[in-house]
Amino acid sequence: MSMRWNRKDLIGLRELSTEEINFILETADAFKEVGTREIKKVPALRGKTLINLFVEPSTRTRTSFELAAHRLSADVINISATTSSLTKGETLKDTARNLEALHADVLVLRHSSAGAPQFLAQRLKTSVINAGDGAHEHPTQALLDLYTIREKRGKIDNLHVVIIGDILFSRVARSNIFGLLKLGAKVTLVGPSTLVPRAFEKLGVSISHKIDNILPQADVVNLLRIQHERQRKEYFPGIGEYTRLFGLTKERAKLLKPDCLIMHPGPINRGVEIDSEVADGPRSVILDQVTNGLAVRMAVLYLCGGIA
Amino acid sequence: MKDRPSTSAAVPIMDAAAIHRALRRIAHEIIERNPDLKSTVLAGIPSRGAEIAQRIAEFIRATDKIDIDTGVIDVAMHRDDVGTRSDLPMVHASKLPTPLEGRTVIIVDDVLFTGRTVRAAMDAISSFGRPARIQLAALIDRGHRELPIRADYVGKNLPTAPNENVRVQLQQTDGQPDAVWIDKP
């Protein structure tokens, strides 16, 4: 592999080439091994400073980035919305410029507004990693999903991946769609028509509102959480109704192929989008996703932070 | 290959037969110096060092009927110059048998130059455990050390100028017949 990485920022998968995505996944292979060592830490980013700026709450993504940075020997500072001067009226740009004045090398940003990471990346010398921006993209989540599929199935090309749930509000779905299509997968979106609008077909995916017809064809199902915090009531009648029509219940899971992978970005709502027995069953790779997220984020920090 | 110069300046140093003899001799020296070969590990540095480690292991197998352990030791994530180079070294997964306690690890590389790669390899090994001892084997020792490091087993000592480039080519890693050259600037 002779590719040279030359991006200081990771904003989304839309702008990455197939080669760049594969390069990140191969780099993650090397970092996954570090987690199995007796001493789970390498000096690759020693002396670099990473700031986790989470303007929107998140525990799992922030913790994963934090641990990834620690394993690369970087120094880490966490800033959350409630403890930052953003609540005192400071603009995002001013906050970021202050962080840059402290010689931060990498800024990991979670923000409720789509485009916030891009905005900062263009204005700062600091490397900017998008940890989720509005309903735009969540590139490291999609990369860890791709990594997990590739690890479990040996390939992504020609697999049929079915993404179920709240697509409209989901940056995870968007990043996954870009990544999966670039790596040759067939993608079908499933959910209520209010949350899975026809407009997504323009991206090159299929859309279905009948889950039971699609499940027997799936090689991978990726279930998305219903984002109560993002949506108003009128998008679907109720949680019980959603579970009845689109939840991966024990009965519905019987329609799946024996080797179909069941994925979920977490946090899971047991009994809503997925039954407990299915989430904890043999086809579920939900916890592998968490482990792989660490390796993928180490790879992204190494690549973007290493050249900054 | 990124460093390939104009062919007129490339001076051949070793051919396939010479490399074969050098690695066979290193294998014999390893057998002689390490009575307990079963607790010895040949840890190659990707990608040519890993290939050389495999070949030395085969010579040991052929000579002594002992299946010596081999491994791969990545140095990229242990280097001290990340952020000062424009090209980021490609990282590989390391693979070493564990536990390493009480064992001898022999680091294997194609060319020994400044010693910084070997320093990084020793750091990497220590994150897997604490071997009883670490030794070093190199196909070529070209001098110009920047750290207090020397090889225990050397295929060929090769005096070079600092601005020359030593190029090792192996069938398995490069798809071309085994050979070593010096590229004169």
Side-chain angles (χ1 to χ4, degrees), chain B residues 59-95:
Chain B
F59 281 121
I60 291 174
R61 230 168 270 141
T63 313
D64 245 31
K65 308 278 177 281
I66 286 176
D67 233 349
I68 189 167
D69 277 339
T70 58
V72 173
I73 188 76
D74 175 72
V75 292
M77 51 182 100
H78 290 270
R79 290 193 66 105
D80 56 9
D81 56 0
V82 170
T84 65
R85 299 156 47 125
S86 60
D87 60 324
L88 207 54
M90 175 76 199
V91 291
H92 298 85
S94 293
K95 210 174 149 206

mmCIF file of all heavy atoms in Angstrom, chain B residues 59-95:
data_model
loop_
_atom_site.group_PDB
_atom_site.id
_atom_site.type_symbol
_atom_site.label_atom_id
_atom_site.label_comp_id
_atom_site.label_asym_id
_atom_site.label_seq_id
_atom_site.Cartn_x
_atom_site.Cartn_y
_atom_site.Cartn_z
ATOM 1 N N PHE B 59 16.036 -21.865 7.573
ATOM 2 C CA PHE B 59 17.402 -22.433 7.668
ATOM 3 C C PHE B 59 17.581 -23.156 8.996
ATOM 4 O O PHE B 59 18.190 -24.227 9.058
ATOM 5 C CB PHE B 59 18.453 -21.312 7.549
ATOM 6 C CG PHE B 59 18.708 -20.866 6.132
ATOM 7 C CD1 PHE B 59 18.503 -19.539 5.759
ATOM 8 C CD2 PHE B 59 19.159 -21.764 5.167
ATOM 9 C CE1 PHE B 59 18.740 -19.128 4.462
ATOM 10 C CE2 PHE B 59 19.405 -21.356 3.867
ATOM 11 C CZ PHE B 59 19.186 -20.028 3.512
ATOM 12 N N ILE B 60 17.046 -22.569 10.075
ATOM 13 C CA ILE B 60 17.185 -23.197 11.391
ATOM 14 C C ILE B 60 16.408 -24.518 11.429
ATOM 15 O O ILE B 60 16.882 -25.532 11.934
ATOM 16 C CB ILE B 60 16.713 -22.223 12.505
ATOM 17 C CG1 ILE B 60 17.701 -21.055 12.605
ATOM 18 C CG2 ILE B 60 16.593 -22.947 13.850
ATOM 19 C CD1 ILE B 60 17.275 -19.945 13.558
ATOM 20 N N ARG B 61 15.227 -24.512 10.830
ATOM 21 C CA ARG B 61 14.408 -25.721 10.747
ATOM 22 C C ARG B 61 15.154 -26.817 9.979
ATOM 23 O O ARG B 61 15.200 -27.968 10.382
ATOM 24 C CB ARG B 61 13.095 -25.395 10.015
ATOM 25 C CG ARG B 61 11.853 -25.865 10.725
ATOM 26 C CD ARG B 61 10.615 -25.261 10.088
ATOM 27 N NE ARG B 61 10.252 -23.989 10.700
ATOM 28 C CZ ARG B 61 9.798 -22.913 10.046
ATOM 29 N NH1 ARG B 61 9.660 -22.941 8.736
ATOM 30 N NH2 ARG B 61 9.489 -21.824 10.698
ATOM 31 N N ALA B 62 15.764 -26.427 8.853
ATOM 32 C CA ALA B 62 16.466 -27.388 8.009
ATOM 33 C C ALA B 62 17.699 -27.943 8.714
ATOM 34 O O ALA B 62 18.041 -29.112 8.559
ATOM 35 C CB ALA B 62 16.869 -26.720 6.693
ATOM 36 N N THR B 63 18.368 -27.111 9.503
ATOM 37 C CA THR B 63 19.622 -27.523 10.132
ATOM 38 C C THR B 63 19.379 -28.286 11.422
ATOM 39 O O THR B 63 19.978 -29.321 11.672
ATOM 40 C CB THR B 63 20.471 -26.271 10.474
ATOM 41 O OG1 THR B 63 20.475 -25.425 9.337
ATOM 42 C CG2 THR B 63 21.888 -26.652 10.842
ATOM 43 N N ASP B 64 18.493 -27.727 12.254
ATOM 44 C CA ASP B 64 18.379 -28.211 13.627
ATOM 45 C C ASP B 64 17.051 -28.890 13.924
ATOM 46 O O ASP B 64 16.817 -29.311 15.049
ATOM 47 C CB ASP B 64 18.564 -27.025 14.597
ATOM 48 C CG ASP B 64 19.806 -27.191 15.441
ATOM 49 O OD1 ASP B 64 20.764 -27.801 14.937
ATOM 50 O OD2 ASP B 64 19.795 -26.733 16.601
ATOM 51 N N LYS B 65 16.163 -28.966 12.931
ATOM 52 C CA LYS B 65 14.834 -29.570 13.111
ATOM 53 C C LYS B 65 14.042 -28.883 14.219
ATOM 54 O O LYS B 65 13.203 -29.511 14.866
ATOM 55 C CB LYS B 65 14.953 -31.082 13.432
ATOM 56 C CG LYS B 65 15.812 -31.869 12.459
ATOM 57 C CD LYS B 65 15.041 -32.254 11.204
ATOM 58 C CE LYS B 65 15.917 -32.972 10.197
ATOM 59 N NZ LYS B 65 16.775 -32.052 9.400
ATOM 60 N N ILE B 66 14.333 -27.624 14.482
ATOM 61 C CA ILE B 66 13.593 -26.909 15.521
ATOM 62 C C ILE B 66 12.706 -25.850 14.864
ATOM 63 O O ILE B 66 13.162 -25.082 14.017
ATOM 64 C CB ILE B 66 14.555 -26.253 16.538
ATOM 65 C CG1 ILE B 66 15.148 -27.340 17.436
ATOM 66 C CG2 ILE B 66 13.822 -25.212 17.390
ATOM 67 C CD1 ILE B 66 16.178 -26.845 18.398
ATOM 68 N N ASP B 67 11.421 -25.887 15.249
ATOM 69 C CA ASP B 67 10.460 -24.918 14.714
ATOM 70 C C ASP B 67 10.536 -23.642 15.532
ATOM 71 O O ASP B 67 9.816 -23.469 16.507
ATOM 72 C CB ASP B 67 9.051 -25.514 14.801
ATOM 73 C CG ASP B 67 8.349 -25.464 13.464
ATOM 74 O OD1 ASP B 67 8.873 -24.792 12.557
ATOM 75 O OD2 ASP B 67 7.293 -26.099 13.343
ATOM 76 N N ILE B 68 11.425 -22.749 15.157
ATOM 77 C CA ILE B 68 11.627 -21.537 15.943
ATOM 78 C C ILE B 68 10.450 -20.577 15.716
ATOM 79 O O ILE B 68 9.915 -20.489 14.604
ATOM 80 C CB ILE B 68 12.981 -20.879 15.570
ATOM 81 C CG1 ILE B 68 13.323 -19.735 16.530
ATOM 82 C CG2 ILE B 68 12.986 -20.384 14.130
ATOM 83 C CD1 ILE B 68 14.760 -19.263 16.408
ATOM 84 N N ASP B 69 9.997 -19.908 16.792
ATOM 85 C CA ASP B 69 8.887 -18.956 16.682
ATOM 86 C C ASP B 69 9.303 -17.728 15.890
ATOM 87 O O ASP B 69 10.429 -17.240 16.027
ATOM 88 C CB ASP B 69 8.447 -18.489 18.076
ATOM 89 C CG ASP B 69 7.491 -19.477 18.729
ATOM 90 O OD1 ASP B 69 6.885 -20.269 17.993
ATOM 91 O OD2 ASP B 69 7.365 -19.442 19.963
ATOM 92 N N THR B 70 8.377 -17.228 15.069
ATOM 93 C CA THR B 70 8.644 -15.964 14.381
ATOM 94 C C THR B 70 7.518 -14.983 14.700
ATOM 95 O O THR B 70 6.434 -15.370 15.130
ATOM 96 C CB THR B 70 8.711 -16.144 12.852
ATOM 97 O OG1 THR B 70 7.474 -16.689 12.419
ATOM 98 C CG2 THR B 70 9.861 -17.046 12.440
ATOM 99 N N GLY B 71 7.801 -13.715 14.498
ATOM 100 C CA GLY B 71 6.794 -12.684 14.745
ATOM 101 C C GLY B 71 7.071 -11.480 13.874
ATOM 102 O O GLY B 71 8.034 -11.455 13.099
ATOM 103 N N VAL B 72 6.186 -10.504 13.985
ATOM 104 C CA VAL B 72 6.337 -9.257 13.240
ATOM 105 C C VAL B 72 6.291 -8.130 14.257
ATOM 106 O O VAL B 72 5.436 -8.122 15.145
ATOM 107 C CB VAL B 72 5.196 -9.092 12.216
ATOM 108 C CG1 VAL B 72 5.263 -7.720 11.555
ATOM 109 C CG2 VAL B 72 5.255 -10.191 11.178
ATOM 110 N N ILE B 73 7.220 -7.197 14.152
ATOM 111 C CA ILE B 73 7.225 -6.103 15.100
ATOM 112 C C ILE B 73 7.154 -4.770 14.343
ATOM 113 O O ILE B 73 8.044 -4.423 13.589
ATOM 114 C CB ILE B 73 8.453 -6.198 16.050
ATOM 115 C CG1 ILE B 73 8.360 -5.186 17.165
ATOM 116 C CG2 ILE B 73 9.784 -6.135 15.353
ATOM 117 C CD1 ILE B 73 7.377 -5.582 18.227
ATOM 118 N N ASP B 74 6.023 -4.082 14.514
ATOM 119 C CA ASP B 74 5.831 -2.804 13.825
ATOM 120 C C ASP B 74 6.577 -1.701 14.563
ATOM 121 O O ASP B 74 6.566 -1.662 15.785
ATOM 122 C CB ASP B 74 4.349 -2.445 13.774
ATOM 123 C CG ASP B 74 4.144 -1.068 13.170
ATOM 124 O OD1 ASP B 74 4.328 -0.949 11.952
ATOM 125 O OD2 ASP B 74 3.846 -0.113 13.905
ATOM 126 N N VAL B 75 7.197 -0.820 13.795
ATOM 127 C CA VAL B 75 7.925 0.273 14.441
ATOM 128 C C VAL B 75 7.282 1.629 14.178
ATOM 129 O O VAL B 75 7.574 2.593 14.868
ATOM 130 C CB VAL B 75 9.396 0.326 13.968
ATOM 131 C CG1 VAL B 75 10.138 -0.888 14.469
ATOM 132 C CG2 VAL B 75 9.499 0.457 12.467
ATOM 133 N N ALA B 76 6.373 1.696 13.198
ATOM 134 C CA ALA B 76 5.883 3.016 12.769
ATOM 135 C C ALA B 76 5.251 3.783 13.922
ATOM 136 O O ALA B 76 5.492 4.975 14.096
ATOM 137 C CB ALA B 76 4.885 2.851 11.630
ATOM 138 N N MET B 77 4.436 3.082 14.741
ATOM 139 C CA MET B 77 3.752 3.822 15.800
ATOM 140 C C MET B 77 4.649 4.062 17.005
ATOM 141 O O MET B 77 4.241 4.704 17.960
ATOM 142 C CB MET B 77 2.431 3.145 16.179
ATOM 143 C CG MET B 77 2.495 1.694 16.487
ATOM 144 S SD MET B 77 0.852 1.014 16.860
ATOM 145 C CE MET B 77 0.345 0.225 15.353
ATOM 146 N N HIS B 78 5.893 3.569 16.943
ATOM 147 C CA HIS B 78 6.849 3.806 18.028
ATOM 148 C C HIS B 78 7.962 4.755 17.616
ATOM 149 O O HIS B 78 8.920 4.954 18.347
ATOM 150 C CB HIS B 78 7.456 2.481 18.490
ATOM 151 C CG HIS B 78 6.471 1.621 19.223
ATOM 152 N ND1 HIS B 78 6.295 1.673 20.573
ATOM 153 C CD2 HIS B 78 5.562 0.731 18.761
ATOM 154 C CE1 HIS B 78 5.347 0.838 20.932
ATOM 155 N NE2 HIS B 78 4.878 0.256 19.847
ATOM 156 N N ARG B 79 7.875 5.327 16.445
ATOM 157 C CA ARG B 79 8.944 6.231 15.993
ATOM 158 C C ARG B 79 8.851 7.556 16.732
ATOM 159 O O ARG B 79 7.795 7.945 17.216
ATOM 160 C CB ARG B 79 8.845 6.437 14.482
ATOM 161 C CG ARG B 79 9.207 5.189 13.701
ATOM 162 C CD ARG B 79 9.413 5.519 12.253
ATOM 163 N NE ARG B 79 10.565 6.380 12.079
ATOM 164 C CZ ARG B 79 11.734 5.972 11.600
ATOM 165 N NH1 ARG B 79 11.917 4.742 11.249
ATOM 166 N NH2 ARG B 79 12.726 6.824 11.472
ATOM 167 N N ASP B 80 9.971 8.279 16.788
ATOM 168 C CA ASP B 80 9.984 9.541 17.523
ATOM 169 C C ASP B 80 9.940 10.740 16.572
ATOM 170 O O ASP B 80 10.154 11.857 16.994
ATOM 171 C CB ASP B 80 11.216 9.629 18.433
ATOM 172 C CG ASP B 80 12.519 9.447 17.671
ATOM 173 O OD1 ASP B 80 12.486 9.419 16.420
ATOM 174 O OD2 ASP B 80 13.570 9.344 18.321
ATOM 175 N N ASP B 81 9.671 10.487 15.302
ATOM 176 C CA ASP B 81 9.701 11.602 14.353
ATOM 177 C C ASP B 81 8.359 11.832 13.666
ATOM 178 O O ASP B 81 8.281 12.513 12.653
ATOM 179 C CB ASP B 81 10.801 11.394 13.300
ATOM 180 C CG ASP B 81 10.648 10.069 12.571
ATOM 181 O OD1 ASP B 81 9.704 9.322 12.882
ATOM 182 O OD2 ASP B 81 11.475 9.789 11.692
ATOM 183 N N VAL B 82 7.261 11.289 14.255
ATOM 184 C CA VAL B 82 5.938 11.562 13.689
ATOM 185 C C VAL B 82 5.636 13.050 13.873
ATOM 186 O O VAL B 82 5.855 13.608 14.942
ATOM 187 C CB VAL B 82 4.854 10.705 14.378
ATOM 188 C CG1 VAL B 82 3.462 11.156 13.981
ATOM 189 C CG2 VAL B 82 5.049 9.241 14.006
ATOM 190 N N GLY B 83 5.172 13.705 12.850
ATOM 191 C CA GLY B 83 4.895 15.133 12.936
ATOM 192 C C GLY B 83 6.068 15.983 12.462
ATOM 193 O O GLY B 83 5.924 17.170 12.242
ATOM 194 N N THR B 84 7.261 15.357 12.291
ATOM 195 C CA THR B 84 8.387 16.110 11.746
ATOM 196 C C THR B 84 8.685 15.660 10.317
ATOM 197 O O THR B 84 9.514 16.220 9.641
ATOM 198 C CB THR B 84 9.661 15.914 12.593
ATOM 199 O OG1 THR B 84 10.056 14.541 12.506
ATOM 200 C CG2 THR B 84 9.417 16.270 14.049
ATOM 201 N N ARG B 85 7.983 14.604 9.888
ATOM 202 C CA ARG B 85 8.174 14.118 8.518
ATOM 203 C C ARG B 85 6.930 14.438 7.711
ATOM 204 O O ARG B 85 5.831 14.453 8.235
ATOM 205 C CB ARG B 85 8.372 12.599 8.506
ATOM 206 C CG ARG B 85 9.562 12.125 9.275
ATOM 207 C CD ARG B 85 9.397 10.685 9.729
ATOM 208 N NE ARG B 85 8.917 9.802 8.675
ATOM 209 C CZ ARG B 85 9.551 8.704 8.307
ATOM 210 N NH1 ARG B 85 10.681 8.359 8.871
ATOM 211 N NH2 ARG B 85 9.046 7.928 7.383
ATOM 212 N N SER B 86 7.119 14.656 6.421
ATOM 213 C CA SER B 86 5.954 14.964 5.592
ATOM 214 C C SER B 86 5.198 13.684 5.240
ATOM 215 O O SER B 86 3.995 13.682 5.084
ATOM 216 C CB SER B 86 6.379 15.697 4.333
ATOM 217 O OG SER B 86 7.268 14.885 3.599
ATOM 218 N N ASP B 87 5.910 12.558 5.144
ATOM 219 C CA ASP B 87 5.192 11.304 4.871
ATOM 220 C C ASP B 87 5.108 10.501 6.153
ATOM 221 O O ASP B 87 6.086 10.265 6.850
ATOM 222 C CB ASP B 87 5.892 10.499 3.767
ATOM 223 C CG ASP B 87 7.313 10.127 4.146
ATOM 224 O OD1 ASP B 87 7.969 10.952 4.807
ATOM 225 O OD2 ASP B 87 7.747 9.020 3.787
ATOM 226 N N LEU B 88 3.880 10.116 6.466
ATOM 227 C CA LEU B 88 3.595 9.379 7.686
ATOM 228 C C LEU B 88 3.945 7.916 7.443
ATOM 229 O O LEU B 88 3.506 7.336 6.460
ATOM 230 C CB LEU B 88 2.099 9.532 7.944
ATOM 231 C CG LEU B 88 1.569 9.454 9.350
ATOM 232 C CD1 LEU B 88 2.285 10.425 10.269
ATOM 233 C CD2 LEU B 88 0.093 9.793 9.311
ATOM 234 N N PRO B 89 4.739 7.295 8.339
ATOM 235 C CA PRO B 89 5.036 5.878 8.083
ATOM 236 C C PRO B 89 3.772 5.020 8.159
ATOM 237 O O PRO B 89 2.912 5.249 8.993
ATOM 238 C CB PRO B 89 6.007 5.515 9.209
ATOM 239 C CG PRO B 89 5.857 6.565 10.245
ATOM 240 C CD PRO B 89 5.367 7.798 9.550
ATOM 241 N N MET B 90 3.655 4.067 7.262
ATOM 242 C CA MET B 90 2.519 3.137 7.229
ATOM 243 C C MET B 90 2.605 2.219 8.443
ATOM 244 O O MET B 90 3.637 1.631 8.700
ATOM 245 C CB MET B 90 2.612 2.324 5.932
ATOM 246 C CG MET B 90 1.587 1.232 5.788
ATOM 247 S SD MET B 90 -0.040 1.881 5.368
ATOM 248 C CE MET B 90 -1.097 0.508 5.828
ATOM 249 N N VAL B 91 1.522 2.112 9.189
ATOM 250 C CA VAL B 91 1.544 1.234 10.360
ATOM 251 C C VAL B 91 1.098 -0.182 9.995
ATOM 252 O O VAL B 91 0.266 -0.364 9.116
ATOM 253 C CB VAL B 91 0.658 1.776 11.505
ATOM 254 C CG1 VAL B 91 1.246 3.038 12.096
ATOM 255 C CG2 VAL B 91 -0.760 2.030 11.034
ATOM 256 N N HIS B 92 1.687 -1.159 10.649
ATOM 257 C CA HIS B 92 1.310 -2.564 10.471
ATOM 258 C C HIS B 92 0.972 -3.137 11.834
ATOM 259 O O HIS B 92 1.420 -2.629 12.854
ATOM 260 C CB HIS B 92 2.476 -3.377 9.886
ATOM 261 C CG HIS B 92 2.910 -2.922 8.539
ATOM 262 N ND1 HIS B 92 3.811 -1.885 8.356
ATOM 263 C CD2 HIS B 92 2.577 -3.334 7.299
ATOM 264 C CE1 HIS B 92 4.009 -1.704 7.064
ATOM 265 N NE2 HIS B 92 3.272 -2.575 6.399
ATOM 266 N N ALA B 93 0.226 -4.233 11.840
ATOM 267 C CA ALA B 93 -0.059 -4.912 13.104
ATOM 268 C C ALA B 93 1.173 -5.697 13.536
ATOM 269 O O ALA B 93 1.824 -6.338 12.722
ATOM 270 C CB ALA B 93 -1.243 -5.855 12.946
ATOM 271 N N SER B 94 1.508 -5.608 14.818
ATOM 272 C CA SER B 94 2.582 -6.437 15.356
ATOM 273 C C SER B 94 2.012 -7.790 15.732
ATOM 274 O O SER B 94 0.832 -7.909 16.045
ATOM 275 C CB SER B 94 3.200 -5.787 16.599
ATOM 276 O OG SER B 94 3.866 -4.618 16.255
ATOM 277 N N LYS B 95 2.874 -8.806 15.723
ATOM 278 C CA LYS B 95 2.422 -10.127 16.102
ATOM 279 C C LYS B 95 3.585 -10.823 16.798
ATOM 280 O O LYS B 95 4.584 -11.133 16.161
ATOM 281 C CB LYS B 95 2.013 -10.899 14.842
ATOM 282 C CG LYS B 95 0.932 -11.908 15.086
ATOM 283 C CD LYS B 95 0.462 -12.527 13.787
ATOM 284 C CE LYS B 95 0.014 -13.951 14.046
ATOM 285 N NZ LYS B 95 0.119 -14.786 12.876
#
